[in-house]
């Protein structure tokens, strides 16, 4: 009988790994998902003409792996790119929205930063670059390079938008390794930005270095749905795993809440680190402890649909972020119907507020009515919206977004070492090396290569014995 590989978790990471393993045709592949639907936090619903995303809303098209996967599962003609106006992004400061400039010169000329912060920013090219390889928080890096004022306004907002995290506790080399590289390469972030902007203009690239926001006509869940169809009977929904045991040369055993355990030559845990910690706790306490030490920030997604006539001004752009200390409790808001077509009925607008995160984890415990009231209050302050929404929905994510806190790379080394001590056990997903959809998909080929190498070594050992 062919070797069996069990993938635990049917989120985007697990689906991508399971599909690639199945296409390799080297082993029987079984993907187990505890819920009755695949996709994890990538989930889309339609209600009264509004398209509502539970979690991620889009991906950047500068990642070939995601676009190639979409093409392979039949979604090539379903992709939609964000309106060019989505390049307009805002930060709420000093009682109003300020457009985020796209370059250092326009940043100095804008009203986003107070003059003291602007003057400190002008000194950035003269700040010596750090050359050692030690860990450093995102906030400390920004404070060192551009000063505390600009770091609080710009970096706090950016970190809230990506990680819903606390910049003072997140690890720069784990979260934004490119920033460390730019400092070392150019000696200055301003010089790096100017060089990259000049390169983009000289080459005429329409996407720029960051790429374009991309989704699908029927929402982002189109991708996991299509992968699930492609996997067919290899994907088993509603199958909760309760533990994993290592049986030496015989491989691993996967225990299920219902039904007989599954024996496998390899097991890929593609679930949140906290869940994986529970699954391996009886097998390896040190591995479980390392996994459990990767925290997450709970977050609530509050969708508000409005008649455009009820809005003081039609939102045009990506949305806005709200640094701490500016009077808003929401982390920011996405102007979904401005970004992509078909997100709201005609003459309506969809605005999505994010609440909670590392600074405000208790917010997720508020009732739906309280979360909607909070979002309406803050949107009233930031955008002048006073009318009641025509539709509202609240989605909660208790595990939320993984937090790559200081020491994260050391934790990853411990996890990798303990997995080597348990041949056939592999880990992947947003808890480790990237929280975006692109990062999860880009990780899949590496994990698949490692699994196939393990199967080859196992086969060679069997033949030589």
């Amino acid at each position: 009988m062919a070797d069996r590989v069990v993938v635990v978790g049917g989120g985007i990471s697990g689906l991508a790994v399971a599909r690639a393993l199945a296409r390799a045709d080297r082993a029987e592949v079984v993907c187990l998902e505890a819920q009755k639907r695949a996709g994890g936090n990538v989930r889309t619903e339609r209600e009264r003409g509004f398209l509502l995303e539970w979690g991620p809303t889009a991906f950047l098209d500068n990642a070939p792996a995601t676009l190639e996967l979409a093409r392979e599962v039949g979604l090539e003609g379903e992709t939609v790119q964000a309106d060019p106006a989505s390049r307009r992004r805002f930060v709420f400061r000093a009682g109003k929205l300020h457009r985020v400039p796209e370059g250092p010169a326009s940043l100095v000329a804008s009203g986003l930063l107070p003059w003291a912060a602007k003057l400190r920013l002008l000194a950035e090219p003269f700040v010596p670059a750090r050359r050692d390889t030690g860990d450093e928080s995102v906030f400390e890096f920004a404070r060192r390079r551009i000063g505390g004022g600009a770091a609080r306004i710009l970096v706090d907002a950016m970190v809230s938008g990506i990680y819903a995290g606390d910049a003072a506790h997140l690890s720069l080399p784990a979260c934004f390794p490119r920033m460390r590289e730019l400092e070392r390469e150019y000696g200055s972030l301003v010089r790096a930005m100017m060089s990259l902007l000049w390169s983009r203009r000289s080459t005429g690239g329409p996407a720029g270095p960051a790429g374009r926001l991309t989704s699908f006509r029927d929402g982002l869940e189109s991708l996991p749905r299509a992968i699930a169809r492609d996997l067919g009977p290899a994907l088993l929904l509603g199958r909760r795993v309760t533990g994993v045991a290592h049986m030496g040369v015989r491989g691993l055993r996967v225990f299920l809440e219902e039904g007989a355990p599954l024996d496998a030559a390899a097991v890929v845990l593609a679930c949140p680190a906290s869940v994986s910690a529970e699954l391996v706790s009886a097998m390896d306490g040190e591995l479980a402890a390392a996994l459990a030490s990767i925290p997450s920030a709970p977050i609530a997604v509050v969708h508000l649909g409005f008649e455009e006539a009820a809005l003081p001004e039609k939102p045009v752009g990506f949305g806005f972020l709200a640094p701490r200390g500016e009077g808003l409790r929401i982390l920011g808001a996405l102007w979904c119907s401005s970004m992509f077509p078909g997100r709201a009925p005609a003459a309506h607008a969809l605005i999505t507020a994010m609440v909670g995160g590392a600074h405000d984890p208790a917010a997720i415990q508020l009732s739906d009515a309280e979360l909607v009231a909070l979002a309406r209050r803050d949107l009233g302050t930031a955008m002048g919206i006073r009318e009641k929404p025509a539709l509202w929905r609240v989605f909660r994510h208790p595990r939320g977004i993984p937090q790559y806190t200081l020491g994260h790379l050391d934790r990853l080394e411990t996890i990798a070492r303990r997995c080597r001590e348990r041949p056939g056990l592999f880990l992947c997903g947003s808890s480790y090396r990237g929280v975006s959809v692109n990062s999860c998909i880009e990780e899949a080929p590496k994990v698949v290569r490692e699994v196939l190498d393990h199967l080859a070594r196992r086969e060679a050992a069997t033949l030589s014995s």
Side-chain angles (χ1 to χ4, degrees):
M1 185 181 70
D3 286 329
R4 177 188 288 143
V5 178
V6 174
V7 179
V8 181
I12 197 67
S13 292
L15 293 173
V17 168
R19 181 181 180 275
L21 282 169
R23 286 169 61 85
D25 199 24
R26 173 61 184 79
E28 174 197 358
V29 177
V30 179
C31 183
L32 304 173
E33 166 56 41
Q35 303 302 316
K36 295 294 186 180
R37 66 193 295 168
N41 289 337
V42 180
R43 181 171 175 177
T44 308
E45 293 188 5
R46 279 197 180 273
E47 183 172 339
R48 292 161 49 190
F50 291 93
L51 189 147
L52 311 175
E53 299 284 10
W54 280 58
T57 61
F59 61 92
L60 290 171
D61 70 351
N62 61 347
T66 302
L67 290 174
E68 178 62 18
L69 179 57
R71 185 192 65 78
E72 289 177 355
V73 296
L75 294 176
E76 186 174 24
E78 295 299 310
T79 57
V80 291
Q81 292 185 336
D83 189 285
S86 64
R87 295 181 66 91
R88 292 164 47 93
R89 300 171 183 234
F90 297 82
V91 169
F92 181 79
R93 190 190 78 80
K96 64 180 182 179
L97 295 179
H98 298 262
R99 184 174 175 181
V100 177
E102 296 184 17
S106 54
L107 177 59
V108 172
S110 78
L112 178 57
L113 298 178
W115 274 107
K118 290 179 182 180
L119 292 173
R120 173 60 180 82
L121 183 62
L122 290 172
E124 194 276 339
F126 306 100
V127 175
R130 178 177 170 177
R131 300 297 181 182
D132 64 86
T133 59
D135 207 350
E136 183 178 25
S137 77
V138 175
F139 184 83
E140 178 55 28
F141 171 83
R143 187 204 60 77
R144 179 169 57 79
R145 295 296 329 166
I146 63 176
R152 185 190 66 80
I153 295 169
L154 299 176
V155 176
D156 183 76
M158 176 188 70
V159 168
S160 292
I162 299 174
Y163 288 95
D166 183 345
H169 293 144
L170 294 181
S171 163
L172 179 80
C175 296
F176 304 106
R178 181 60 176 151
M179 300 298 287
R180 174 71 62 85
E181 294 171 4
L182 290 174
E183 181 186 31
R184 290 175 179 168
E185 183 177 352
Y186 294 94
S188 160
L189 297 184
V190 169
R191 286 196 291 270
M193 289 180 65
M194 296 301 293
S195 177
L196 293 173
L197 285 170
W198 178 258
S199 175
R200 180 178 65 176
R201 289 169 182 165
S202 63
T203 58
R212 290 163 291 197
L213 284 171
T214 304
S215 185
F216 303 98
R217 298 185 195 281
D218 291 323
L220 204 57
E221 194 183 352
S222 297
L223 184 57
R225 284 194 197 115
I227 302 172
R229 287 194 299 269
D230 203 46
L231 279 171
L235 173 62
L236 301 179
L237 300 176
R239 304 295 296 275
R240 185 176 299 277
V241 174
T242 59
V244 179
H246 200 274
M247 302 185 296
V249 295
R250 292 181 295 161
L252 297 104
R253 177 163 291 170
V254 178
F255 297 94
L256 305 175
E257 190 173 64
E258 296 182 0
L262 295 176
D263 289 344
V267 171
V268 181
L269 298 181
C271 34
S274 58
V275 175
S276 295
E278 296 171 4
L279 298 182
V280 303
S281 59
M283 176 178 65
D284 190 322
E286 185 180 355
L287 174 59
L291 291 168
S293 68
I294 299 175
S296 61
I299 193 165
V301 178
V302 183
H303 290 292
L304 300 174
F306 295 94
E307 294 182 7
E308 286 184 352
L311 303 179
E313 185 178 351
K314 180 180 178 180
V316 178
F318 180 84
F320 70 90
L321 294 170
R324 285 178 303 131
E326 294 294 337
L328 302 187
R329 190 172 179 182
I330 64 172
L331 300 174
L334 302 176
W335 299 339
C336 300
S337 53
S338 173
M339 284 191 283
F340 292 108
R343 268 43 181 176
H348 286 73
L350 177 63
I351 300 175
T352 302
M354 308 298 176
V355 186
H359 287 298
D360 191 12
I364 199 173
Q365 303 299 329
L366 297 174
S367 69
D368 285 2
E370 289 171 321
L371 286 168
V372 170
L374 186 161
R376 287 187 60 199
R377 181 199 69 202
D378 284 0
L379 291 178
T381 301
M383 301 176 63
I385 301 174
R386 306 299 177 192
E387 298 296 324
K388 291 183 179 180
L391 170 141
W392 60 265
R393 286 291 303 277
V394 174
F395 303 130
R396 288 176 170 79
H397 300 281
R399 289 195 173 93
I401 302 175
Q403 303 292 288
Y404 303 164
T405 54
L406 290 166
H408 184 76
L409 296 183
D410 290 335
R411 286 189 284 276
L412 293 187
E413 289 184 6
T414 299
I415 291 167
R417 175 173 57 80
R418 295 311 302 163
C419 285
R420 287 194 295 270
E421 295 295 319
R422 300 288 185 268
L425 180 64
F426 304 90
L427 293 154
C428 69
S430 62
S431 293
Y432 309 108
R433 294 177 178 83
V435 299
S436 69
V437 169
N438 281 345
S439 296
C440 292
I441 292 173
E442 288 175 329
E443 185 184 26
K446 175 179 178 293
V447 175
V448 170
R449 285 194 299 271
E450 292 175 348
V451 172
L452 295 179
D453 287 346
H454 167 72
L455 296 179
R457 290 192 297 270
R458 181 181 170 88
E459 182 179 17
T462 301
L463 292 174
S464 63
S465 61

